[in-house]
């Protein structure tokens, strides 16, 4: 979401501590809204086995499947964020806003994404906190982790 007369949804729905928010040109910031993954992707062929009414012996494959599925979701999440940063650089943005739960922020930080909290948690589609990220800080931090950024 780019700057508009209405302001950013995060600024309209969260308390933003101005002391924690860096100074920036409002036309060079964007807000990441919700990330959505298509139902077609989430319901792949392997899922049909799990939800099938047929008796299928998957006990030996169950743990492998769970680990693969978790890794797949993480790769998808990190890939989406990498693409967001790539597009942000292309558009000349300097910062990104996002409202997320602390768990997602922690997960992203383990892969080098740096998000700074700028306000308290509120119950907004679940417990979320407003964060801000510096594009340059994150590009430098993630370049070694995600080869997709090398395509920039």
């Amino acid at each position: 979401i780019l700057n508009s007369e209405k302001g950013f949804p995060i600024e309209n729905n969260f308390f933003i501590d101005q002391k924690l928010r860096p100074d920036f040109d409002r036309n060079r910031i964007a807000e990441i809204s919700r990330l959505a993954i298509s139902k077609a992707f989430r319901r792949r062929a392997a899922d049909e086995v799990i939800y099938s009414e047929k008796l299928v012996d998957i006990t030996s494959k169950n743990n492998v499947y769970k680990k693969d599925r978790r890794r797949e979701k993480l790769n998808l999440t990190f890939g989406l964020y990498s693409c967001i940063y790539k597009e942000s650089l292309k558009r000349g943005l300097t910062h990104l806003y996002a409202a997320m739960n602390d768990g997602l922020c922690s997960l992203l930080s383990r892969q080098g994404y740096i998000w700074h909290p700028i306000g308290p948690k509120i119950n907004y589609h679940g417990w979320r906190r407003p964060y801000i990220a510096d594009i340059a800080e994150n590009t430098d931090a993630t370049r070694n982790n995600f080869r997709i950024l090398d395509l920039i």
Side-chain angles (χ1 to χ4, degrees), residues 44 47 65-73:
R44 294 166 317 279
D47 293 335
Y65 175 75
K66 284 181 182 178
K67 286 178 185 176
D68 286 347
R69 181 111 188 229
R70 188 178 323 122
R71 188 178 317 113
E72 187 177 75
K73 286 180 182 179

Side-chain angles (χ1 to χ4, degrees), residues 47-59:
D47 293 335
E48 289 179 26
V49 172
I50 291 173
Y51 299 110
S52 174
E53 292 183 27
K54 298 176 186 175
L55 183 59
V56 179
D57 182 14
I58 59 166
T59 54

Side-chain angles (χ1 to χ4, degrees), residues 21-88:
R21 191 193 71 152
D23 201 19
F24 53 78
D25 175 352
R26 292 187 66 75
N27 293 317
R28 298 190 70 199
I29 186 169
E31 179 177 337
I32 299 172
S33 187
R34 300 181 104 181
L35 300 177
I37 300 169
S38 78
K39 188 174 183 177
F41 179 82
R42 289 179 293 156
R43 297 294 308 248
R44 294 166 317 279
D47 293 335
E48 289 179 26
V49 172
I50 291 173
Y51 299 110
S52 174
E53 292 183 27
K54 298 176 186 175
L55 183 59
V56 179
D57 182 14
I58 59 166
T59 54
S60 62
K61 298 178 184 178
N62 196 28
N63 287 336
V64 173
Y65 175 75
K66 284 181 182 178
K67 286 178 185 176
D68 286 347
R69 181 111 188 229
R70 188 178 323 122
R71 188 178 317 113
E72 187 177 75
K73 286 180 182 179
L74 291 175
N75 288 339
L76 182 60
T77 301
F78 298 144
L80 285 169
Y81 273 86
S82 294
C83 290
I84 288 167
Y85 282 106
K86 181 179 177 182
E87 182 65 22
S88 297

Side-chain angles (χ1 to χ4, degrees), residues 86-146:
K86 181 179 177 182
E87 182 65 22
S88 297
L89 289 171
K90 193 165 109 178
R91 289 177 175 264
L93 300 177
T94 60
H95 292 83
L96 290 170
Y97 272 141
M100 66 181 92
N101 64 41
D102 291 338
L104 176 58
C105 185
S106 177
L107 178 69
L108 292 171
S109 72
R110 282 182 273 189
Q111 292 297 320
Y113 287 109
I114 303 164
W115 287 88
H116 302 282
I118 54 173
K121 280 191 252 187
I122 66 166
N123 193 351
Y124 181 76
H125 304 292
W127 288 98
R128 307 277 187 263
R129 180 186 310 275
Y131 288 90
I132 195 162
D134 180 303
I135 302 287
E137 181 180 39
N138 277 285
T139 300
D140 292 343
T142 59
R143 188 167 299 279
N144 293 329
N145 294 329
F146 300 104

